[in-house]
Amino acid sequence: MRRKIPSLQALACFDAAARHQSYTRAAQELSLTQGAVSRQLTALEEYLGVALFKRTRHGVTLTNSGRDYAQQVASRLNALEQDTLDVMSTQGRASVIHLAAVPTFATRWLIPRLPQLKSQHPGLTLHIDTRTRPFMFTDSPYDCALYAGTPEQVNQWAGTRAVKLLDEVVLPVCAPALLNGQATLSPQAMAGLPLLQQSTRPDAWRQWFEAQGVSAPQALAGARFELFSMTAAAAVQGLGLALVPPLLVQEELVRGDLRVACAHELISQRAYYLVRPETDDNAAATQLFEDWLVRTITTQHKTL
């Protein structure tokens, strides 16, 4: 049965015009004349039987139907472009893995080790996007996910299986100036200093102080940041103490931008997992990646 799909040229014109809210700028982007874009859009509206644009004093704007359709078309054109790039880049030889990953772990731990992966598996190509929350693999292009969460969160992620990579161990760090000439700080002294909060781990400081047996009335107070990289950057600027995994701030510690404020670690309720769908169409490549991850972490982080 013939698919009821408009021409790709018409959809490309619509996508560009919807983004720019202008036929002229769409024509410039696509190296077409304004008349050619206008004809494509008129044909598309006739094909759909729906008005996608309405005229205004300043040009054109999307109708409600046009706005909804534009969102759908944009996502599908992006996916088609990515699929095309995958085929062009692999040329039928290499394996491609689409990975969703928590951003700081991907940036600070995974990416510096990708040369090792490449040397061991030269035919494996890894594409990385950032995702911090569970999602449906069936509705996404991803083959697997590097996820930081609790065992309960991982167990509730429907249609998946997971392998635990390592526990999330956190340690208080700060800019050297906050130490005020001391080698380290006591938990009691830390309780009176500004505490930088991780919005995804709102109870982290309270749990840390409880583990030290110290009362900290301000354990929940302080500036909040979504990512560990943001919290670490704020700590480098002297805005307060940060409670972060040391493996994610190794560069700052080596440079001396950050110092360990107190050597008392806390094993977080969260851990890092590789999550895969139960039905895996790219199982061979994903298994290579999983085996490499487990082997690398076992070798380099035995004490974590």
Side-chain angles (χ1 to χ4, degrees):
M1 183 177 66
R2 184 177 179 181
R3 295 181 183 274
K4 196 167 184 61
I5 301 174
S7 75
L8 188 59
Q9 179 76 355
L11 292 176
C13 289
F14 172 62
D15 174 63
R19 283 187 284 104
H20 294 300
Q21 300 282 285
S22 166
Y23 288 8
T24 301
R25 293 178 63 186
Q28 293 171 347
E29 177 182 312
L30 299 172
S31 298
L32 298 171
T33 65
Q34 182 179 350
V37 170
S38 179
R39 287 191 295 274
Q40 288 287 341
L41 294 176
T42 298
L44 179 60
E45 289 181 322
E46 291 176 351
Y47 181 85
L48 297 173
V50 173
L52 301 174
F53 293 94
K54 55 186 177 183
R55 295 283 181 180
T56 69
R57 288 186 302 171
H58 304 292
V60 295
T61 185
L62 288 165
T63 63
N64 290 336
S65 296
R67 188 175 300 106
D68 294 339
Y69 192 47
Q71 293 176 351
Q72 300 299 322
V73 168
S75 65
R76 283 160 175 78
L77 287 178
N78 289 337
L80 181 59
E81 181 181 33
Q82 186 60 64
D83 292 340
T84 303
L85 291 172
D86 288 347
V87 172
M88 294 171 65
S89 65
T90 60
Q91 298 178 0
R93 296 192 303 271
S95 298
V96 174
I97 294 175
H98 291 268
L99 173 69
V102 285
T104 307
F105 188 83
T107 303
R108 299 297 184 92
W109 189 91
L110 177 61
I111 291 176
R113 290 165 175 78
L114 288 185
Q116 301 173 25
L117 176 64
K118 196 66 177 177
S119 66
Q120 296 176 32
H121 302 289
L124 196 63
T125 300
L126 192 65
H127 298 322
I128 304 175
D129 291 332
T130 59
R131 294 290 291 266
T132 59
R133 294 177 174 83
F135 54 88
M136 295 299 294
F137 277 97
T138 53
D139 297 332
S140 79
Y142 303 116
D143 299 301
C144 52
L146 275 174
Y147 176 67
T150 65
E152 292 76 17
Q153 289 172 326
V154 172
N155 291 336
Q156 292 171 7
W157 193 336
T160 67
R161 64 179 183 84
V163 57
K164 182 179 176 179
L165 300 174
L166 51 85
D167 288 312
E168 184 178 82
V169 179
V170 293
L171 191 68
V173 299
C174 66
L178 259 65
L179 295 176
N180 198 24
Q182 303 179 68
T184 60
L185 299 173
S186 68
Q188 291 84 354
M190 290 170 53
L193 293 175
L195 304 176
L196 302 176
Q197 304 290 340
Q198 189 78 21
S199 59
T200 55
R201 290 133 176 94
D203 291 328
W205 274 117
R206 181 184 59 78
Q207 293 167 355
W208 187 87
F209 281 111
E210 285 181 355
Q212 315 315 316
V214 172
S215 174
Q218 301 302 312
L220 300 178
R224 295 188 178 276
F225 302 90
E226 182 181 7
L227 305 177
F228 277 128
S229 56
M230 295 177 178
T231 308
V236 168
Q237 298 303 317
L239 297 179
L241 293 155
L243 194 60
V244 298
L247 82 163
L248 300 183
V249 291
Q250 283 299 307
E251 292 183 6
E252 289 86 349
L253 291 171
V254 170
R255 290 197 305 263
D257 295 337
L258 290 176
R259 296 269 298 276
V260 174
C262 180
H264 293 273
E265 294 180 334
L266 177 70
I267 298 179
S268 166
Q269 295 177 345
R270 296 178 180 234
Y272 292 97
Y273 297 85
L274 181 69
V275 182
R276 297 171 58 181
E278 290 178 343
T279 302
D280 190 350
D281 296 331
N282 198 21
T286 310
Q287 190 62 50
L288 282 177
F289 179 58
E290 177 181 315
D291 292 343
W292 173 81
L293 268 178
V294 172
R295 185 168 59 250
T296 302
I297 287 174
T298 300
T299 301
Q300 299 184 11
H301 298 281
K302 291 180 179 179
T303 60
L304 293 177

